[in-house]
Amino acid sequence: MADSFPSNDMEMVVTWGDCDAAGISYYAKAFDWFTNGRMRFMHVYGFPYMETFHGNGISLVCLKADCDYKKMLRPEEPVTVRTSLTALSRSRMTFTYQVLKQDGKLACEGTTSHTYVDNQGLPFNVEKRFPELWKQISSTWSGALAGKPSAQA
């Protein structure tokens, strides 16, 4: 993950509910953590999801999600979810995530790719339908445009 992409860190603690009966984090919970990291990322950068997108009839539908698991996590273990926006276009966003243990070791990493969809479930070009929003998004996250790192991000 390139440091020049816009990113944000979210601190959290693994809960018992995040784990299986053996007390090891359940693999699917990583996607919940990614969602929480993405929602926090958007809020920190001034685009709270519910207000900015959902409230305007825009859903960010996940097209693809994957995760590579490296280290076990246990209940009450503090972790950092690092979220970066690594690609941005008029029709899609791609986020990359790292879940880091307290010692900085990588527990898991993954990506999600999303498209803008209207209330009828149809994808659309956000610049054409919401030009002011696109202007704000593209200027704020210019480093992720077409997946190219930017020095100012």
Side-chain angles (χ1 to χ4, degrees), residues 59-76:
S59 294
L60 287 176
V61 173
C62 188
L63 299 172
K64 181 180 179 183
D66 67 4
C67 184
D68 293 322
Y69 303 92
K70 310 289 185 183
K71 303 269 182 206
M72 288 190 304
L73 294 170
R74 300 223 180 246
E76 300 184 358

Side-chain angles (χ1 to χ4, degrees), residues 112-126:
T112 59
S113 296
H114 307 262
T115 190
Y116 309 102
V117 175
D118 64 20
N119 287 333
Q120 287 71 46
L122 300 172
F124 64 89
N125 178 322
V126 75

Side-chain angles (χ1 to χ4, degrees), residues 64-117:
K64 181 180 179 183
D66 67 4
C67 184
D68 293 322
Y69 303 92
K70 310 289 185 183
K71 303 269 182 206
M72 288 190 304
L73 294 170
R74 300 223 180 246
E76 300 184 358
E77 188 170 352
V79 295
T80 301
V81 179
R82 179 165 296 147
T83 304
S84 298
L85 179 63
T86 52
L88 176 66
S89 74
R90 291 161 183 86
S91 61
R92 296 190 180 182
M93 299 174 124
T94 300
F95 293 88
T96 305
Y97 312 88
Q98 293 180 320
V99 177
L100 303 165
K101 294 172 78 73
Q102 195 168 23
D103 63 5
K105 291 184 179 170
L106 184 64
C108 65
E109 61 186 343
T111 61
T112 59
S113 296
H114 307 262
T115 190
Y116 309 102
V117 175

